[in-house]
């Protein structure tokens, strides 16, 4: 593990445990939200779609707010305490508030649920990841080697959450609340040293102000990055939403297809865990921009081949590649942001330029993609989406800013995190 010395080893264990438990809790409970809404709250498919649409709207609104607060607080953990505290209220909220409201006053229940889920999860996870990235750089660690424990936490919870759900969903929510309480203690014990050798590269003496956000929104680099997200990341995540429906068509027995898809999900989580150990060094070697471009090439190729293949073996090999794409994308995104945007707007850039943009994609592209699935089929739709990803990768090779790499260090790259960069 890079630069994990005896002095900060325990802090690495703590922040990694925090991320592990956060994703464990999410997978064990919120990961089954769609099933719970349908089977236990007896909502129709249309209403469930409305639930997720409203969740997305509130998340898009809240994520930039969380980013601004994180940048304002620096390394203070107050926002994380709030997120975990909201998570700890999961069991009483779902059992005594959310479900009764959905049954008695559905619209009110949808809105109240969207507010809660955004505070604790949809925006909360972005805040936790952004803080973990800043904490890792402050202590000379690699974010990927912290984030990999989140993938493991998700996989561990997935292995038994369905069984627990069949006994009673209340058990899943109670487990989530209890785990969140443990997370609070871990977070409280996490030591933050703002005087490390890396502090000047990570922390800004001047706190973010509204003018900094305005400058960010006027930055060419900001919109070049958003263009990449819209062309590549949107295709990557939207294609995955209904990939399971396409996958099972390769099997004569739908139940067999469902089972294989579940097994491959476990393989994917295992791949994510391993890749997060390797990917940071790879991105350091080639540079964050090339990492982003490779993601675009892999996404485009995977989607096109998925549309052309006629073998259940080939589609089974392609499915776990999604785990590789996620790892390489997330690590490259954080490194690109750290290199090209002011330290004062680091979290704001991640939650606005990346996380909020992803949810905008859900709102804008999910319905048209679903319509294409019905009109022309999954095969042609995936080929189209793959071609879009490749086209935007080519465009981004010209619009994204060059990055430092160990393979070929940039000459005259300027000062890292220079404040004036957000005005370019």
């Amino acid at each position: 593990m890079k630069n994990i010395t005896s002095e900060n080893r325990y802090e690495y264990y703590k922040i990694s445990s925090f991320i592990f438990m956060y994703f464990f809790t999410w997978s064990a409970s919120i990961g089954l939200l769609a099933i719970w809404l349908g089977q236990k709250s007896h909502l129709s498919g249309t209403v469930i779609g409305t639930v997720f649409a409203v969740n997305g709207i509130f998340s898009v609104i809240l994520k930039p707010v969380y980013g601004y607060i994180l940048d304002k607080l620096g390394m203070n953990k107050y926002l994380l305490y709030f997120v975990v505290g909201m998570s700890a209220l999961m069991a009483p909220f779902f059992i005594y508030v959310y479900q009764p409201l959905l049954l008695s006053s559905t619209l009110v229940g949808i809105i109240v649920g969207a507010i809660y889920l955004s505070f604790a999860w949809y925006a909360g996870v972005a805040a936790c990841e952004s803080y973990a990235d800043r904490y890792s750089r402050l202590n000379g660690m690699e974010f990927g080697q912290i984030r990999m424990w989140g993938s493991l936490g998700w996989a561990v919870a997935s292995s038994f959450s369905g069984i627990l759900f069949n006994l009673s969903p209340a058990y899943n929510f109670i487990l989530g609340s209890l785990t969140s309480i443990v997370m609070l203690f871990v977070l409280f014990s996490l030591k933050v040293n703002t005087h490390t050798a890396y502090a000047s590269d990570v922390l800004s003496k001047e706190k973010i102000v509204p003018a900094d956000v305005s400058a960010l929104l006027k930055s060419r680099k900001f919109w070049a990055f958003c263009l990449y997200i819209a062309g590549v990341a949107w295709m990557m995540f939207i294609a995955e939403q209904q990939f399971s429906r396409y996958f099972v068509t390769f099997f004569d027995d739908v139940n067999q297809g469902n089972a294989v898809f579940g097994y491959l999900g476990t393989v994917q989580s295992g791949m994510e865990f391993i890749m997060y150990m390797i990917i940071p060094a790879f991105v350091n070697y080639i540079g964050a921009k090339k990492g982003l471009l490779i993601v675009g090439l892999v996404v485009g190729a995977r989607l096109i081949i998925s549309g052309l293949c006629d073998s259940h073996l080939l589609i089974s090999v392609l499915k776990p590649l999604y785990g590789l794409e996620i790892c390489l994308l997330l690590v490259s995104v954080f490194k690109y942001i750290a290199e090209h945007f002011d330290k004062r707007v680091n979290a704001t850039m991640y939650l606005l330029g990346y996380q909020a943009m992803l949810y905008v994609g859900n709102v804008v592209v999910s319905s048209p993609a679903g319509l294409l699935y019905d009109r022309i089929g999954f095969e042609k739709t995936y080929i189209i989406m793959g071609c879009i990803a490749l086209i935007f990768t080519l465009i981004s090779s010209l619009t994204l800013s060059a990055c430092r790499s160990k393979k070929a260090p940039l000459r005259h790259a300027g000062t890292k995190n220079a404040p004036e960069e957000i005005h370019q």
Side-chain angles (χ1 to χ4, degrees):
M1 300 290 182
K2 176 191 173 185
N3 291 337
I4 299 179
T5 63
S6 57
E7 290 80 11
N8 62 16
R9 184 174 300 275
Y10 287 113
E11 303 313 310
Y12 168 78
Y13 292 151
K14 290 176 185 177
I15 190 69
S16 298
S17 298
F18 173 80
I19 294 296
F20 174 91
M21 286 187 285
Y22 189 88
F23 280 87
F24 174 92
T25 303
W26 191 355
S27 176
S29 50
I30 309 302
L32 299 169
L33 180 60
I35 299 175
W36 179 82
L37 290 170
Q39 295 182 7
K40 303 302 177 180
S41 297
H42 309 294
L43 301 182
S44 67
T46 301
V47 176
I48 292 174
T50 303
V51 169
F52 283 102
V54 176
N55 289 350
I57 292 171
F58 275 89
S59 177
V60 168
I61 295 172
L62 186 59
K63 282 184 177 183
V65 175
Y66 267 14
Y68 186 87
I69 293 173
L70 273 177
D71 284 325
K72 199 74 172 177
L73 293 175
M75 293 308 298
N76 287 325
K77 298 177 285 185
Y78 299 135
L79 181 59
L80 268 62
Y81 284 130
F82 175 76
V83 169
V84 179
M86 294 294 288
S87 174
L89 296 174
M90 179 190 308
F93 176 79
F94 270 84
I95 297 171
Y96 300 113
V97 179
Y98 197 22
Q99 188 174 35
L101 279 177
L102 288 173
L103 295 175
S104 63
S105 182
T106 304
L107 180 58
V108 175
I110 290 174
I111 295 174
V112 171
I115 295 172
Y116 171 80
L117 291 170
S118 296
F119 275 137
W121 301 104
Y122 296 132
V125 65
C128 291
E129 286 182 333
S130 184
Y131 188 90
D133 167 69
R134 184 176 291 175
Y135 187 88
S136 67
R137 290 186 288 116
L138 182 64
N139 291 280
M141 305 173 187
E142 282 288 359
F143 167 75
Q145 294 172 351
I146 295 173
R147 177 57 178 78
M148 68 182 188
W149 295 103
S151 298
L152 183 62
W154 186 279
V156 170
S158 296
S159 66
F160 67 84
S161 59
I163 299 174
L164 202 62
F165 184 90
N166 288 335
L167 295 175
S168 173
Y171 294 151
N172 296 75
F173 301 137
I174 292 171
L175 176 62
S177 289
L178 293 176
T179 305
S180 298
I181 293 173
V182 177
M183 287 165 58
L184 279 174
F185 285 102
V186 173
L187 186 60
F188 181 77
S189 68
L190 183 68
K191 294 180 180 178
V192 179
N193 180 8
T194 58
H195 301 288
T196 67
Y198 307 92
S200 60
D201 292 330
V202 180
L203 303 178
S204 174
K205 294 181 180 180
E206 299 179 0
K207 297 300 182 182
I208 188 173
V209 295
D212 294 323
V213 180
S214 176
L216 178 66
L217 294 175
K218 296 175 182 176
S219 168
R220 180 195 65 81
K221 288 186 178 183
F222 173 80
W223 292 109
F225 180 82
C226 289
L227 182 68
Y228 170 85
I229 298 301
V232 176
W234 283 9
M235 298 304 107
M236 171 183 165
F237 287 104
I238 301 260
E240 190 66 16
Q241 286 178 343
Q242 299 194 45
F243 191 82
S244 59
R245 290 181 58 206
Y246 178 58
F247 182 88
V248 299
T249 63
F250 287 84
F251 297 82
D252 295 330
D253 183 0
V254 173
N255 291 328
Q256 181 187 12
N258 290 336
V260 174
F261 189 82
Y263 299 146
L264 291 176
T266 303
V267 174
Q268 177 183 308
S269 296
M271 176 179 284
E272 287 182 32
F273 180 78
I274 295 172
M275 287 296 101
Y276 273 124
M277 286 189 274
I278 302 170
I279 289 298
F282 175 70
V283 176
N284 286 339
Y285 182 71
I286 66 172
K289 176 181 177 179
K290 290 182 179 178
L292 292 173
L293 297 179
I294 291 174
V295 171
L297 293 176
V298 175
V299 170
R302 179 174 68 88
L303 292 179
I304 292 173
I305 296 173
S306 295
L308 295 174
C309 80
D310 56 2
S311 166
H312 71 278
L313 293 177
L314 179 56
I315 201 73
S316 297
V317 171
L318 292 172
K319 172 66 179 80
L321 287 179
Y322 180 69
L324 170 63
E325 295 166 8
I326 289 177
C327 298
L328 185 54
L329 176 65
L330 194 57
V331 171
S332 298
V333 162
F334 272 119
K335 289 184 179 293
Y336 186 88
I337 290 174
E339 183 168 343
H340 288 291
F341 294 91
D342 193 291
K343 292 174 286 187
R344 287 173 295 177
V345 297
N346 192 269
T348 302
M349 176 60 201
Y350 174 65
L351 275 88
L352 176 60
Y354 177 70
Q355 286 285 345
M357 274 294 293
L358 288 182
Y359 273 80
V360 170
N362 280 337
V363 175
V364 173
V365 183
S366 292
S367 293
L371 181 63
L372 287 176
Y373 294 148
D374 293 335
R375 292 285 180 86
I376 64 176
F378 281 96
E379 295 89 343
K380 292 181 180 178
T381 303
Y382 282 146
I383 292 173
I384 292 172
M385 296 174 78
C387 289
I388 291 173
L390 292 179
I391 291 171
F392 274 83
T393 300
L394 176 61
I395 295 172
S396 296
S397 68
L398 303 175
T399 57
L400 289 176
S401 301
C403 293
R404 287 182 290 273
S405 68
K406 292 182 179 179
K407 181 179 180 181
L410 275 179
R411 296 179 182 272
H412 310 298
T415 303
K416 180 180 178 182
N417 290 326
E420 68 272 17
E421 283 189 327
I422 61 173
H423 297 285
Q424 294 180 3

